[in-house]
Amino acid sequence: FQLQASGGGLVQAGGSLRLSCAASGFTFDNYTVGWFRQVPGKKREGVSCLSSDDVSADYADSVKGRFTVSRDTAGSTVYLQMNSLRPEDTADYYCAAYRGDTSWILCVAGAEFGIWGQGTQVTVSS
């Protein structure tokens, strides 16, 4: 089981990017999907969590109202739409999957996630 994150890049402040997280060898049915970000030398931050039934999503306060997570109907790709980007959103972004449901607190901690994608770099210039 693998995850492939993509869609990062360089964008000006106020711009938008859409990150993709593609599953290989499985589908996201019955999996909670989390997006995380990390700046080198700093602690990893949980950005969003999408429930396994694709019904509910939670977001970090720092991105609430600007980021939206969604899943395609095939259940094979999860997206993170990022609008009104700010320089402080600059980081490596990772997606991860956990079979089952979990709470927001445990989700953002990331410890339960067994499947991780490689990072995709997002740079927001001022």
Side-chain angles (χ1 to χ4, degrees), residues 5-9 11 15-21 35 68-72 77-83 85 120 122:
S6 61
V11 64
S16 298
L17 282 174
R18 188 176 79 159
L19 305 184
S20 299
C21 177
W35 281 98
T68 304
V69 63
S70 63
R71 198 172 87 180
D72 70 355
T77 305
V78 169
Y79 303 99
L80 184 67
Q81 178 67 44
M82 306 187 297
N83 299 328
L85 283 163
T120 185
V122 172

Side-chain angles (χ1 to χ4, degrees), residues 9 15 25 31 37 42 45 80 84 86 107:
Y31 281 82
R37 64 187 182 186
K42 293 192 176 181
E45 176 188 16
L80 184 67
S84 302
R86 305 167 180 169
C107 181

Side-chain angles (χ1 to χ4, degrees), residues 88-110:
E88 53 264 38
D89 294 318
T90 295
D92 292 323
Y93 283 72
Y94 300 84
C95 60
Y98 163 74
R99 186 172 176 86
D101 288 306
T102 187
S103 66
W104 169 246
I105 292 176
L106 291 176
C107 181
V108 295

Side-chain angles (χ1 to χ4, degrees), residues 1-4 21-29 31 74-77 97 99 115:
F1 292 178
Q2 292 182 332
L3 296 176
Q4 178 77 35
C21 177
S24 176
F26 72 109
T27 69
F28 288 121
D29 293 336
Y31 281 82
S76 60
T77 305
R99 186 172 176 86
I115 308 171

